[in-house]
Amino acid sequence: MWKIIVLCTIVGLAAAQKATFKNYKVFRIIPTTEAQVEILREFQEVSDGFSFWEAPSYVNKQADLMVAPHKLPEFYDAMAQVNIPYQICIDDVQELIEETTSLSRSRTFDFTSYHTLDVIYKRLDELAAEHPNKVQVVVGGKTYEGRQIKGVKVSFKANNPGIFVEGGIHAREWISPATVMFILEQLLTSKDADVRALAESHDWYIFPSFNPDGYVYTHTKNRLWRKTRKPYSVLCYGSDPNRNWDYRWRTGGASSNPCDETYAGSAPFSDIETKSLSEYIKSISDKFYAYISFHSYSQLLMFPYGHTREHLENHDELLAIGSKSIAALKKRYGTEYVTGNIAETIYIATGSTVDYVKGVLRKPISYTYELRDRGRYGFLLPPDQIIPTGEETMDSLVALFKEAKARGYPKNI
Ligand code: 0X9
Ligand code: ZN
């Protein structure tokens, strides 16, 4: 009998444990032919031990692949067989996880470490208490595990045109909520004249975490979790909430397999997060003209659409605005971005928030940032890069909205 009890205790402990990535490696692979791109796509079909951090897309575009230690021999063999150039980016993922999260346990909010959902939410409450006439806490939606999707509305003057800011839809992209919080603080406290003008001439709807269950899970169980946490099959949890929105749903670059990282869900808005958020966003749709979503990583500034490489609606203007914005971003620390249509710049993907906001709600200014870096650290960006990332992103937003204004926005598309 005691043996069974001991065994059960051990099993129980194992269940409570965190995923570890000891000796997992991340490789950067650059396919030089269409055939090589196809071979890389084959790795996507193998769920055991291979996981793309950046999916393969086109010839000469990098793909970043994480490989588990037991799959390394197979990986090296395959690369040698097909002669694809690659290099190693991260030698031991677990070591880097430990380095970049060691400081993130503090209970008070700052920009020198990454914080838990509770600490971020507490900071939103504090900011509302500190600026009672300007900041109001709003609940934009709810999660499968019963959490609130909390944000703030910031307003310096009634009836300003609005800007919606979304962070953290992908759980592991920790620099996204951190940058959104940085922007929020700048809007409230910066003394820079350009930032003040931008802040005070708009109403802001700011949500640092669109995927709270996933974010909590990255802190407690698996640092590299991307999706939501709703069970879709016995073994596989979560849809990709940036594939679950009801605009050209699952028409490309999205999976119908619940075990995949880009699983689109069982139907448009099959996740309570996207469903409830879409209802909230619709309810304030006449109050904003611009929507900005923050992801990581790759250093890209993209605009709709994700389903086609065609240049639709105000493509040329968005490209011109994007170019000014990334030029301003580069000035402070030399960080280089690329701008362009989503499908051309990264890959075909459908069911994202920015496509929905443009395609269904017809908002003319809709951008996705892929923040730092280009792959040295990827999702595990060291916390000492939070402030510089925030600063350069703020610079780019100032330039973006200056150029939009010069071009007559807000206006309809
Ligand atoms: O695949 C995504 O959702 C984004 N890249 S990430 O590495 N952060 O996952 C790109 C989103 C691009 N936007 C659209 N597809 N609309
Ligand atoms: Zn993302």
Side-chain angles (χ1 to χ4, degrees):
M1 182 61 185
W2 65 269
K3 266 190 190 159
I4 295 172
I5 293 170
V6 171
L7 188 67
C8 291
T9 315
I10 292 168
V11 172
L13 281 175
Q17 250 170 23
K18 270 192 186 182
T20 170
F21 296 90
K22 189 78 204 134
N23 293 325
Y24 279 58
K25 296 187 191 301
V26 178
F27 296 94
R28 162 138 320 153
I29 310 166
I30 305 179
T32 52
T33 63
E34 202 43 63
Q36 291 181 345
V37 175
E38 276 312 309
I39 288 162
L40 289 183
R41 293 220 173 96
E42 276 183 39
F43 282 93
Q44 277 177 307
E45 309 304 315
V46 187
S47 54
D48 173 37
F50 294 122
S51 157
F52 276 102
W53 281 21
E54 285 290 304
S57 52
Y58 309 116
V59 169
N60 291 328
K61 285 240 172 92
Q62 71 182 55
D64 293 343
L65 178 65
M66 181 169 74
V67 182
H70 69 283
K71 286 287 188 180
L72 284 168
E74 271 170 70
F75 171 76
Y76 292 127
D77 261 10
M79 291 295 114
Q81 261 181 56
V82 290
N83 216 359
I84 310 184
Y86 70 92
Q87 68 197 55
I88 187 149
C89 293
I90 301 175
D91 192 52
D92 182 349
V93 171
Q94 187 60 31
E95 216 167 80
L96 195 53
I97 289 178
E98 276 153 27
E99 268 170 48
T100 49
T101 51
S102 57
L103 290 169
S104 36
R105 278 168 207 122
S106 84
R107 298 293 306 165
T108 45
F109 188 86
D110 64 12
F111 294 107
T112 63
S113 66
Y114 295 108
H115 294 286
T116 60
L117 186 77
D118 286 348
V119 172
I120 292 174
Y121 277 6
K122 199 168 129 245
R123 183 70 189 140
L124 295 180
D125 295 338
E126 280 166 16
L127 288 172
E130 281 166 26
H131 307 266
N133 305 321
K134 299 185 189 96
V135 182
Q136 181 195 336
V137 172
V138 279
V139 177
K142 52 182 183 271
T143 76
Y144 178 78
E145 290 174 352
R147 297 186 174 86
Q148 294 182 329
I149 301 178
K150 245 194 208 190
V152 287
K153 179 183 176 191
V154 178
S155 182
F156 293 86
K157 189 160 87 28
N159 299 320
N160 267 333
I163 299 174
F164 198 106
V165 178
E166 163 209 309
I169 197 166
H170 287 145
R172 62 190 171 188
E173 298 166 9
W174 281 10
I175 189 61
S176 165
T179 302
V180 170
M181 292 302 285
F182 187 89
I183 290 164
L184 169 59
E185 298 247 4
Q186 289 294 302
L187 294 174
L188 291 170
T189 59
S190 171
K191 304 227 154 39
D192 178 276
D194 284 333
V195 176
R196 288 264 48 82
L198 174 66
E200 292 174 22
S201 60
H202 288 90
D203 280 354
W204 297 85
Y205 299 85
I206 300 182
F207 289 80
S209 178
F210 255 31
N211 180 7
D213 292 353
Y215 190 66
V216 168
Y217 197 73
T218 61
H219 283 264
T220 56
K221 294 282 163 60
N222 179 346
R223 171 67 185 84
L224 294 174
W225 190 255
R226 167 182 170 97
K227 303 190 283 177
T228 59
R229 287 298 303 162
K230 173 178 169 180
Y232 274 100
S233 73
V234 178
L235 284 179
C236 296
Y237 283 59
S239 79
D240 179 342
N242 211 34
R243 299 289 184 282
N244 195 231
W245 294 67
D246 194 6
Y247 178 72
R248 295 182 185 259
W249 179 78
R250 223 178 65 186
T251 55
S255 168
S256 52
N257 176 356
C259 303
D260 285 351
E261 298 276 39
T262 56
Y263 178 50
S266 50
F269 296 138
S270 58
D271 265 289
I272 184 79
E273 290 83 354
T274 53
K275 171 112 186 84
S276 56
L277 282 166
S278 71
E279 280 160 9
Y280 169 70
I281 293 172
K282 229 180 214 159
S283 77
I284 56 157
S285 179
D286 59 337
K287 303 201 187 319
F288 71 95
Y289 72 102
Y291 189 101
I292 312 282
S293 79
F294 287 100
H295 289 251
S296 75
Y297 58 95
S298 286
Q299 297 172 196
L300 307 171
L301 178 56
M302 300 177 287
F303 46 86
Y305 291 95
H307 66 276
T308 174
R309 285 183 274 280
E310 266 181 79
H311 295 175
L312 300 179
E313 290 144 14
N314 55 347
H315 170 281
D316 294 352
E317 275 195 311
L318 291 183
L319 183 64
I321 295 168
S323 303
K324 289 261 164 133
S325 178
I326 65 171
L329 187 150
K330 188 177 170 185
K331 277 205 182 123
R332 198 182 280 259
Y333 296 112
T335 311
E336 293 195 21
Y337 269 59
V338 170
T339 187
N341 151 299
I342 292 160
E344 284 179 298
T345 314
I346 187 163
Y347 38 61
I348 300 262
T350 51
S352 71
T353 50
V354 291
D355 279 8
Y356 177 85
V357 162
K358 184 149 197 198
V360 176
L361 303 181
R362 311 304 300 158
K363 300 301 161 190
I365 308 276
S366 172
Y367 283 98
T368 299
Y369 281 76
E370 294 282 351
L371 297 167
R372 290 190 189 190
D373 57 9
R374 281 237 166 110
R376 165 76 186 81
Y377 296 105
F379 302 121
L380 306 174
L381 193 72
D384 62 3
Q385 293 199 36
I386 296 172
I387 292 173
T389 302
E391 290 171 331
E392 68 193 11
T393 308
M394 195 68 241
D395 295 341
S396 86
L397 283 178
V398 164
L400 192 157
F401 284 103
K402 250 192 200 169
E403 186 60 24
K405 188 177 177 196
R407 289 169 179 272
Y409 288 97
K411 65 183 174 191
N412 297 324
I413 43 173

